[in-house]
Amino acid sequence: MDNILEVSSLKKYFPIKKGLFKKNVAYVKAVNDISFKVKKGETLGVVGESGCGKSTLGKTIIGLLKPNEGNVKYKINGNLTKINDVTDKKIRKKINQEIQIIFQDPFSSLHPKMTVKDIISEPLDIHNIGTKENRLNKVKNLMEKVSLSSYQINRYPHEFSGGQRQRISIARALALNPNLIICDEPVSALDVSVQAQIMNLFSDLQKQFNLTYIFIAHDLSVIEYISDRVLVMYLGKIVEIGESNDIYTNPRHPYTEALLSSIPEINGEEEFSRVPLKGDVPDPSNPPKGCNFNERCKYAKDICFKKEPELIKSRKNNNYAACHFVDEIKLNGYY
């Protein structure tokens, strides 16, 4: 499959200001030199602890946040980070049509004074697509696609449940027939039973519309269900990336092993070996020297505190892991 998106050496730092004159004293390295590719039609899951930079990564890719460094190349339209919104209006308009984002909280991302019809048709209005009648038919069709009834078209967001509001957000994202959708924790605010329904909806829509997803979540069960490949983040960096099956059965980074061991075990008859992590996540404005994970890793050796590991391919599978001992240590998978 062709690559639909290529991210190269992407960095997003947030300044820490102190003093009377608000002088920059340090930077929070939310996204710190990240590179990866996304293939057309696949789902890339992005997982990690809260604060690891997952959401910042998604917002930087789509342009809601301006990166400090790096390139984001989408198909043949060049570097998204270099597009000037004033002089390159046509390119930006095209990109805004083809890349959409779905946010975590479906209530705060929907205008409370707009009806469902207005919310879903707003992208069509902004881009002057179709007549008024065409737009109305499009809205009704999209509502059916996300399992909402057309008689609800004139209702407001507060009249819907959390799951229904997220369906409205999904319909709005589909209005412009996008190729790539960035899903920023789209089910984490929902009940477990509703999560399953929304996850099935995402899978069905991907097949119907040939969509590509970057699916951000902290729930590894969700990521396993939806993803073809998985990208594991820790402290603003990629620590492992690979096929979903390889990640869950044969992880090559100690942090991935620890994450997998935190998944609740449904079958109470089997004892699952937990991998407790000592200490807390380091300060992202002052990460440890060497490997970012060295202070919490039970496999760490002297080199881990001196030299930062590169993201290298494992000889045991197709995973890439940022570990000095990627093929030397024995790690437990979830299965």
Side-chain angles (χ1 to χ4, degrees):
M1 292 183 290
D2 297 330
N3 293 323
I4 193 172
L5 188 79
E6 295 185 15
V7 177
S8 305
S9 304
L10 194 66
K11 296 181 180 180
K12 179 57 186 175
Y13 298 167
F14 295 99
I16 299 174
K17 300 179 182 291
K18 288 186 178 181
L20 181 62
F21 299 102
K22 300 297 180 180
K23 183 180 178 181
N24 290 351
V25 295
Y27 289 89
V28 174
K29 299 177 180 180
V31 175
N32 192 8
D33 197 15
I34 280 184
S35 302
F36 64 91
K37 298 177 181 179
V38 182
K39 297 177 182 177
K40 183 174 176 57
E42 78 165 346
T43 299
L44 176 68
V46 181
V47 68
E49 292 175 274
S50 297
C52 72
K54 305 186 301 295
S55 294
T56 302
L57 174 63
K59 292 174 182 176
T60 305
I61 289 172
I62 202 171
L64 294 177
L65 296 173
K66 186 177 180 179
N68 295 84
E69 293 181 26
N71 301 320
V72 178
K73 293 183 179 180
Y74 170 71
K75 290 172 64 176
I76 60 172
N77 292 307
N79 187 356
L80 302 191
T81 61
K82 304 298 182 183
I83 293 176
N84 188 303
D85 292 347
V86 177
T87 60
D88 300 323
K89 286 184 178 181
K90 289 184 178 180
I91 297 177
R92 173 52 68 186
K93 183 177 180 180
K94 183 68 172 175
I95 295 301
N96 288 343
Q97 286 182 283
E98 296 191 8
I99 304 178
Q100 292 291 308
I101 186 168
I102 298 171
F103 296 99
Q104 176 177 356
D105 186 355
F107 190 74
S108 62
S109 63
L110 301 177
H111 197 300
K113 294 185 179 180
M114 292 176 68
T115 64
V116 173
K117 180 182 71 175
D118 295 333
I119 289 170
I120 299 176
S121 65
E122 185 178 27
L124 302 172
D125 296 337
I126 292 173
H127 290 270
N128 296 315
I129 297 175
T131 63
K132 188 175 182 180
E133 183 179 357
N134 293 148
R135 294 171 190 173
L136 180 60
N137 291 333
K138 177 84 170 180
V139 170
K140 290 180 178 179
N141 180 260
L142 286 171
M143 290 182 70
E144 292 178 4
K145 293 290 186 184
V146 298
S147 301
L148 291 173
S149 300
S150 57
Y151 72 82
Q152 300 170 309
I153 196 168
N154 291 313
R155 293 185 179 180
Y156 293 88
H158 72 270
E159 299 180 77
F160 294 89
S161 66
Q164 289 175 320
R165 287 196 288 263
Q166 196 59 291
R167 291 175 189 272
I168 297 170
S169 297
I170 295 170
R172 178 178 61 182
L174 293 172
L176 296 174
N177 300 316
N179 291 319
L180 172 65
I181 299 181
I182 298 174
C183 307
D184 186 10
E185 306 238 21
V187 298
S188 62
L190 307 176
D191 293 337
V192 175
S193 59
V194 180
Q195 284 185 10
Q197 297 172 19
I198 298 298
M199 294 300 294
N200 288 331
L201 176 62
F202 274 118
S203 295
D204 293 340
L205 293 173
Q206 185 173 37
K207 296 173 184 175
Q208 290 181 49
F209 295 98
N210 192 26
L211 296 170
T212 304
Y213 293 141
I214 295 178
F215 204 97
I216 299 167
H218 62 266
D219 188 330
L220 279 90
S221 299
V222 168
I223 290 293
E224 180 189 17
Y225 176 81
I226 196 74
S227 302
D228 299 302
R229 290 191 301 135
V230 177
L231 184 157
V232 184
M233 286 186 66
Y234 181 78
L235 212 64
K237 287 182 172 290
I238 297 175
V239 295
E240 187 167 2
I241 184 170
E243 300 293 328
S244 180
N245 183 63
D246 288 337
I247 291 287
Y248 281 81
T249 59
N250 189 16
R252 303 316 312 147
H253 194 282
Y255 179 64
T256 309
E257 179 192 43
L259 282 182
L260 294 175
S261 77
S262 69
I263 301 176
E265 180 59 56
I266 297 176
N267 187 351
E269 296 179 1
E270 298 181 9
E271 284 192 20
F272 191 67
S273 178
R274 301 291 176 187
V275 181
L277 293 180
K278 58 185 179 181
D280 299 317
V281 178
D283 183 355
S285 65
N286 185 28
K289 184 179 178 181
C291 176
N292 280 349
F293 191 58
N294 57 22
E295 296 178 357
R296 308 179 73 191
C297 180
K298 65 179 182 179
Y299 306 103
K301 297 182 181 179
D302 289 344
I303 191 174
C304 302
F305 296 87
K306 298 176 182 178
K307 182 181 178 182
E308 182 178 352
E310 297 180 1
L311 196 66
I312 59 175
K313 187 177 183 297
S314 169
R315 296 190 302 271
K316 296 186 177 181
N317 56 25
N318 291 319
N319 293 9
Y320 285 79
C323 179
H324 292 297
F325 310 102
V326 62
D327 288 316
E328 298 177 26
I329 52 178
K330 184 177 179 181
L331 302 176
N332 294 316
Y334 182 62
Y335 299 110

